[in-house]
Amino acid sequence: MQSAHQIEKALREKLEGEVRFDRGSRILYSTDASNYRRIPIGVVIPRHEGDVEAAISIARENSTPILARGGGTSLAGQATSAGLVIDFSKYMKAIRKVDPGRRLAIVEPGVVQSDLNARLAQFDLFFAPDPTTKDRCSIGGMIGNNSCGAHSVAYGKTAENVESLDVLLYDGSRLSTGPDGALDSRPELRAKLHQLGLRHAELIRDRFPKIPRRVSGYNLDALLPENGFNLTQALVGSEGTLAITLAAELRLAKRPCRRAIVVMGFEDIFVAADQACWILEHRPDALEGFDGRLTEFVRVTGVHADSLRLLPSGGAFLIAEVSADSDSEVKARSAELRAQAQRTSGCTGTRVYADEVDQQAVWSLRESGLGASALIPGYPRTWPGAEDAAVAPDRLGGFLREFDALLKRASLEVASWYGHFGDGCVHSRINFDLFSADGIARFRSTMEQFAELVVRFGGSLSGEHGDGIARSELLPKMFGSELIDAFAEFKRIFDPDTRMNPGIIVDPIRLDSQLRIGPSYHATSTATHFDYRAEGGFAGAVLKCVGVGKCRKTNAGTMCPSYMATLEEEHSTRGRAHLLLEAMSGGLDASEDTVVYDAMDLCLACKGCKRECPASVDMARYRSEFLAGYFTRHRRPLSSLVFSQVHRLARLGSRAPRIANSVANAPLLGALIRRALGVHRERKLPALAPQTFQAWFAANHDGTIDSNHEVVLFADTFTNFFQPQVAIAAVRVLQRAGFRVSVPAADLCCGRPLYDLGMLSKAKGLLVRALEVLGPYAERGVPIVGLEPSCILTFRDELPGLIPDDPLAKLLAERSMLLEEFMVREALEFTPSTMQGRALVHGHCHQKAITGMSSELATLRRINGLRVAEIDAGCCGMAGAFGYQTDHFEVSQQIAQRVLLPAVRKADPETLIIADGFSCRSQIAQFCAGRRVLHLAEVLDLATTSVK
């Protein structure tokens, strides 16, 4: 057997794909969404099947274990390994063929399910398994775990939706599992499998649970004669322990024409679970449940909190989805179900939603369960493990009651009950103590009792997420020793040397070993600038990342823009959180902190994760904290020192703006300046305005507006010095709306560039100064309105975190708002005139993360005749100084090109392009020359002629 270095060298010589044996990459792939951590020997990212075959060959020559990995969202630890990890998610994601007539598709294992379904939408088809992770989980991972999701009530598990597989074994041979000619090339293997199925047939029939969601163990029941010796189904759910999927032929379902959901409230989750049987008689496509604790967590975190208004009253909720070919039929079906619910004892209210937007909002509540219940301030930290049991639906209520009693006897509690109640599958995170030896002992004993309870109810330890490390050791309680021997024989047929993801299902790893956290866990405690007391310190805040990988989505939203561009794990929020925690807990030593810095370097501090991450991981804040410490040990680059002083430089330049602009953009001198600062040659530095906004206001504001309604307009750096026309428009709009506008003459800055670059002490100083000037206004109840989202929202987000115990800071945060928020809350009688046309709105990242876009859209829709559409473009890619830098230019351009730039270029010349962020407007101007981009204030100014 060669050394790791020799294996790496051999792989690099043979593969066209990427080979990574560095410490940072190995750490990135050491965890998934589970409690476990195993550092692999190395990582391979293959470009094609030949790379996979070469990697397997080299691994076999060195007796190296193999783990095939997709999105890394597994909850039970099966996506961790000490062997060689093969990541299919970056390159091997081709949809090779779609046959709409036969309703089949052939795909590579790295295809993300939502991407596949987006492609299939043109045929009114979809791949039906519907896990919560559908926007980032891969088809290969779904096959490995036999994924199910909300709609398995109607469409079954992944196993029932796969026609055939093209797989690679550890010995280098390839097999096709299709119904025609399956295993013709390996008759001896076919014979062994037939004999195995026949020999254990009666035991399989007797011991396998007769429930919809038996996912635990191997699917030996697929080998029985009555099931047609279905080798495809036998391999699905094997968690990478038998073979590697190179391609899969999937069965597709017809997309329902019309859907509606019936949302029902009940007294508690146990009563809700009791309803499953009668609701299933209505043949729903999905039947989901969650308790009131989940709604509490959503309210605290604010993630999807707007959707809470859609729920009826109750302490627990069920969502039943029905479908039909017509509006009338779906209306009749939902009305019938609702009527029976209203007659049911314990039902506290019902709602029916046929609108797709409302339906998605309700589904978002349910799908937030895992992340939302991980760590909520004021509640104990929770962990997976016993989160995935399934029983017969008619026994679910009784099972939950006894599960709850078991936890209480162990002095434990579940964060929230939620899951697929139509299939009897329940998810729960429990407040296990994984930091101490006693706590881990209790974790083990509870898991053992949990397994016995599941077996007593005729259920499956896993109803969806697989066995992994968490449950493989408990399988003998469920299946008995003879079937466990049959599982071992089944594995040996495919993997006689036990090199495929060893320790999972067969010869299991102990469930209380290989833990990410344990008695030896210790995170470095350092002084921080922000307040992390509610999270148990900085490390506790970073540990909020539970690994579900929502940051790996690429089809919608903002998080995570750099991952969307690079498809690199280190540039996801999850990857950065894992590296940062490793650095604090000793997984990386002090000399390796550049690994974390490199990952943070492409973080745009967009704050998308603050809103879109189910666990509300705030990587922008963690990044600032990290950089503050990092640059006490390393020299800051010149660009960082200069860009952090944009306010001071702009103030100096404003004294002679023509000269400053000429110098900055002079052919020779300007080029030297850009080179010294690392500014890309295609970037043009923003030009200072001939007159600042504050100067204009002092010269033009005569104080004649007779109004008792005062509003303070905060003159941020970018609006004041570079684009004062935006603030001038805002003054006119606010005055026309009947408000007396005040603009403090003091030179104020929120410190945004300092914050983004980790200069937190200096940023805090600027915030203290702003508090001195703006605080008295806040005390008098005067609203403070800002125009640049990244600046005014600093008072809402960073200020309370940096100055946590100052009541005035809290008050200023409460009184600070964006222009559109003010218009919606205060200017209720403001009515613009008619303005015919279309408008495309691009939201600033901080705007979307902290306030949302509803107020802006509502304000624009007051303009009669203006048809408004929001672009789901995510981040623009500029992010302050980020997009100007040569090292970031390509990524910045890729981020903008994903959705934003094509949408702008496609729009008619008459269409208004609206973007409130200075960076956003600059990015569009850079790549869409000649296209004018307006701020909301400018649009309102154009549309305002009178106020009723």
Side-chain angles (χ1 to χ4, degrees):
M1 179 176 178
Q2 296 178 309
S3 67
H5 175 72
Q6 290 171 317
I7 295 173
E8 177 187 10
K9 184 174 183 294
L11 289 167
R12 291 189 182 279
E13 290 174 351
K14 296 289 186 181
L15 272 61
E16 294 181 16
E18 299 172 25
V19 178
R20 302 179 182 177
F21 275 59
D22 61 284
R23 179 72 176 176
S25 295
R26 292 164 60 214
I27 284 174
L28 283 168
Y29 286 85
S30 67
T31 59
D32 49 14
S34 71
N35 299 329
Y36 302 98
R37 172 184 179 270
R38 292 191 288 170
I39 297 181
I41 186 176
V43 179
V44 164
I45 305 177
R47 290 184 178 273
H48 46 67
E49 292 178 355
D51 279 348
V52 183
E53 292 174 327
I56 291 292
S57 175
I58 292 169
R60 185 171 62 252
E61 292 169 3
N62 292 277
S63 300
T64 302
I66 289 290
L67 167 65
R69 177 166 159 143
T73 61
S74 299
L75 278 160
Q78 61 266 50
T80 69
S81 173
L84 183 67
V85 172
I86 303 180
D87 178 3
F88 290 87
S89 66
K90 187 173 182 179
Y91 298 118
M92 291 189 65
K93 52 181 184 177
I95 301 171
R96 294 180 179 175
K97 181 180 180 181
V98 176
D99 186 339
R102 298 174 63 206
R103 295 186 183 179
L104 294 172
I106 299 176
V107 303
E108 292 181 343
V111 172
V112 172
Q113 188 195 12
S114 61
D115 293 343
L116 172 62
N117 282 338
R119 168 84 173 272
L120 296 174
Q122 62 183 307
F123 308 111
D124 288 327
L125 299 173
F126 73 121
F127 183 54
D130 184 32
T132 301
T133 57
K134 52 185 168 284
D135 57 1
R136 67 270 195 195
C137 71
S138 68
I139 297 297
M142 293 179 69
I143 291 169
N145 286 349
N146 198 5
S147 296
C148 308
H151 290 84
S152 62
V153 169
Y155 300 102
K157 306 183 292 294
T158 294
E160 287 82 59
N161 291 274
V162 179
E163 181 74 10
S164 66
L165 295 171
D166 179 7
V167 301
L168 177 67
L169 303 190
Y170 192 80
D171 66 7
S173 60
R174 289 180 64 160
L175 301 175
S176 173
T177 68
D180 299 326
L183 296 181
D184 281 352
S185 62
R186 296 289 298 275
E188 81 289 354
L189 193 149
R190 172 189 282 272
K192 290 178 180 178
L193 292 173
H194 268 298
Q195 293 168 8
L196 174 65
L198 293 174
R199 190 164 61 252
H200 297 283
E202 291 307 313
L203 199 57
I204 294 169
R205 295 183 184 112
D206 181 57
R207 291 299 299 262
F208 271 49
K210 310 299 188 294
I211 60 173
R213 285 289 193 97
R214 196 278 307 156
V215 172
S216 279
Y218 289 128
N219 295 335
L220 297 187
D221 53 338
L223 301 179
L224 298 180
E226 59 266 32
N227 294 323
F229 186 72
N230 192 318
L231 182 57
T232 299
Q233 291 191 12
L235 288 179
V236 173
S238 55
E239 302 182 36
T241 63
L242 305 178
I244 292 177
T245 298
L246 296 177
E249 187 177 28
L250 308 178
R251 297 175 189 154
L252 310 177
K254 184 72 175 174
R255 191 179 297 273
C257 296
R258 297 289 184 271
R259 286 174 172 167
I261 60 171
V262 182
V263 187
M264 297 160 275
F266 293 91
E267 294 173 358
D268 59 38
I269 195 65
F270 310 115
V271 174
D274 292 335
Q275 314 307 314
C277 287
W278 72 260
I279 296 176
L280 288 174
E281 292 175 0
H282 289 262
R283 296 174 291 105
D285 289 0
L287 176 55
E288 301 290 288
F290 58 93
D291 64 11
R293 288 288 292 276
L294 180 57
T295 64
E296 287 180 38
F297 299 152
V298 167
R299 191 172 285 108
V300 171
T301 64
V303 179
H304 305 306
D306 292 345
S307 302
L308 293 174
R309 61 181 173 80
L310 300 173
L311 298 179
S313 61
F317 307 91
L318 294 178
I319 306 169
E321 180 183 281
V322 295
S323 64
D325 291 333
S326 66
D327 289 331
S328 59
E329 187 180 356
V330 81
K331 183 176 180 180
R333 292 193 64 195
S334 57
E336 182 183 0
L337 199 160
R338 182 182 192 181
Q340 185 168 351
Q342 291 171 331
R343 297 192 300 268
T344 301
S345 175
C347 182
T348 56
T350 62
R351 301 271 185 89
V352 175
Y353 296 106
D355 180 78
E356 290 185 10
V357 174
D358 290 338
Q359 290 182 48
Q360 185 53 53
V362 175
W363 279 119
S364 295
L365 279 176
R366 157 62 189 88
E367 292 177 352
S368 68
L370 192 157
S373 59
L375 176 61
I376 305 297
Y379 294 86
R381 190 181 295 273
T382 61
W383 305 91
E387 90 296 333
D388 193 29
V391 297
D394 62 350
R395 305 193 70 182
L396 182 59
F399 171 74
L400 287 181
R401 290 179 177 91
E402 292 208 27
F403 193 0
D404 187 53
L406 185 159
L407 293 174
K408 287 177 179 175
R409 289 193 299 271
S411 299
L412 296 169
E413 63 176 308
V414 65
S416 174
W417 301 107
Y418 59 95
H420 315 293
F421 283 23
D423 278 329
C425 180
V426 62
H427 302 316
S428 57
R429 293 180 66 93
I430 297 166
N431 64 327
F432 295 120
D433 170 17
L434 300 184
F435 293 87
S436 70
D438 288 344
I440 292 172
R442 182 181 298 181
F443 165 64
R444 180 176 186 83
S445 65
T446 303
M447 288 295 296
E448 291 172 342
Q449 294 174 63
F450 157 77
E452 292 164 0
L453 174 65
V454 171
V455 172
R456 181 154 55 85
F457 272 80
S460 175
L461 292 171
S462 174
E464 182 166 32
H465 298 144
D467 296 314
I469 302 174
R471 290 175 281 272
S472 292
E473 189 185 0
L474 301 172
L475 291 179
K477 294 179 181 290
M478 178 177 168
F479 291 104
S481 60
E482 289 184 68
L483 278 181
I484 294 299
D485 290 342
F487 288 165
E489 183 181 348
F490 186 56
K491 178 174 173 61
R492 286 195 298 273
I493 291 173
F494 291 93
D495 180 28
D497 297 323
T498 65
R499 292 291 184 267
M500 298 295 293
N501 205 9
I504 306 301
I505 302 178
V506 172
D507 296 324
I509 298 168
R510 286 176 57 91
L511 65 89
D512 53 352
S513 65
Q514 309 293 329
L515 293 168
R516 290 173 60 193
I517 305 298
S520 61
Y521 170 83
H522 175 73
T524 303
S525 178
T526 58
T528 59
H529 296 80
F530 284 100
D531 179 21
Y532 302 102
R533 287 173 293 184
E535 294 93 346
F538 187 31
V542 178
L543 198 55
K544 285 172 65 176
C545 176
V546 294
V548 295
K550 184 75 172 175
C551 45
R552 287 172 57 97
K553 63 182 174 60
T554 60
N555 61 337
T558 301
M559 176 184 71
C560 178
S562 51
Y563 176 79
M564 290 181 180
T566 67
L567 300 182
E568 291 285 352
E569 176 72 14
E570 71 172 309
H571 297 137
S572 68
T573 303
R574 179 178 72 177
R576 294 184 179 108
H578 284 174
L579 288 173
L580 186 54
L581 190 65
E582 288 279 348
M584 289 190 286
S585 58
L588 290 167
D589 60 40
S591 66
E592 295 175 310
D593 60 358
T594 54
V595 172
V596 185
Y597 178 81
D598 290 342
M600 295 294 181
D601 186 49
L602 288 191
C603 174
L604 285 79
C606 69
K607 296 184 187 287
C609 48
K610 183 180 178 71
R611 186 177 186 92
E612 297 176 24
C613 170
S616 297
V617 169
D618 189 352
M619 188 50 63
R621 178 168 295 191
Y622 307 162
R623 174 182 180 270
S624 295
E625 199 75 71
F626 167 77
L627 291 177
Y630 181 83
F631 284 116
T632 63
R633 304 181 298 275
H634 301 269
R635 178 180 296 179
R636 284 187 179 275
L638 176 62
S639 60
S640 178
L641 295 172
V642 173
F643 286 132
S644 69
Q645 299 300 317
V646 63
H647 177 81
R648 181 176 296 180
L649 293 172
R651 185 182 64 208
L652 291 172
S654 68
R655 297 174 182 174
R658 288 186 180 180
I659 296 175
N661 292 335
S662 297
V663 170
N665 295 294
L668 181 58
L669 184 57
L672 292 174
I673 292 173
R674 285 195 294 273
R675 185 178 302 172
L677 297 180
V679 174
H680 194 274
R681 63 182 180 277
E682 294 186 25
R683 292 292 192 191
K684 185 176 181 179
L685 295 173
L688 290 163
Q691 183 185 41
T692 69
F693 164 66
Q694 284 180 313
W696 174 90
F697 188 81
N700 291 275
H701 180 64
D702 57 11
T704 59
I705 299 295
D706 184 16
S707 174
N708 294 324
H709 303 292
E710 183 182 12
V711 58
V712 171
L713 189 62
F714 172 59
D716 65 86
T717 298
F718 305 101
T719 306
N720 186 38
F721 295 109
F722 297 98
Q723 293 189 345
Q725 71 274 13
V726 171
I728 294 169
V731 170
R732 288 197 289 255
V733 169
L734 290 168
Q735 288 178 341
R736 291 169 189 164
F739 294 91
R740 178 163 49 88
V741 180
S742 297
V743 177
D747 182 47
L748 301 179
C749 177
C750 68
R752 166 57 54 194
L754 294 166
Y755 168 82
D756 287 343
L757 295 168
M759 300 180 181
L760 296 180
S761 295
K762 292 181 179 179
K764 183 176 179 180
L766 292 178
L767 288 176
V768 169
R769 172 59 178 154
L771 192 58
E772 292 173 353
V773 175
L774 299 176
Y777 290 101
E779 286 182 307
R780 291 195 288 111
V782 179
I784 293 93
V785 171
L787 302 170
E788 174 59 38
S790 63
C791 293
I792 189 66
L793 294 177
T794 300
F795 299 146
R796 289 262 283 274
D797 191 25
E798 284 78 25
L799 175 61
L802 287 170
I803 311 175
D805 299 318
D806 188 335
L808 189 58
K810 181 179 180 182
L811 191 59
L812 178 57
E814 293 172 352
R815 299 303 297 170
S816 298
M817 61 189 77
L818 289 162
L819 175 63
E820 64 267 20
E821 293 181 289
F822 178 81
M823 301 304 289
V824 167
R825 297 178 194 177
E826 306 291 339
L828 301 180
E829 298 182 2
F830 172 75
T831 305
S833 59
T834 298
M835 187 177 182
Q836 298 293 338
R838 293 174 54 85
L840 283 183
V841 183
H842 169 69
H844 187 283
C845 293
H846 295 187
Q847 181 182 15
K848 289 182 284 190
I850 297 173
T851 70
M853 292 296 294
S854 59
S855 293
E856 171 129 358
L857 297 174
T859 301
L860 285 167
R861 284 168 182 154
R862 289 187 187 182
I863 304 174
N864 185 37
L866 187 64
R867 291 167 291 166
V868 180
E870 181 186 4
I871 312 172
D872 184 12
C875 180
C876 72
M878 183 63 91
F882 179 92
Y884 284 94
Q885 296 172 310
T886 299
D887 291 346
H888 299 155
F889 180 80
E890 184 177 350
V891 170
S892 174
Q893 186 176 28
Q894 287 176 348
I895 292 169
Q897 187 60 41
R898 190 181 67 86
V899 174
L900 176 60
L901 297 182
V904 172
R905 290 166 180 153
K906 184 179 179 181
D908 294 333
E910 297 79 16
T911 298
L912 298 179
I913 308 299
I914 304 172
D916 291 349
F918 176 78
S919 289
C920 306
R921 297 193 296 274
S922 300
Q923 182 80 314
I924 295 171
Q926 167 75 40
F927 293 111
C928 300
R931 192 73 197 231
R932 186 184 178 194
V933 190
L934 300 175
H935 188 284
L936 170 68
E938 295 176 288
V939 177
L940 294 178
D941 185 31
L942 289 171
T944 304
T945 57
S946 64
V947 179
K948 296 181 180 179

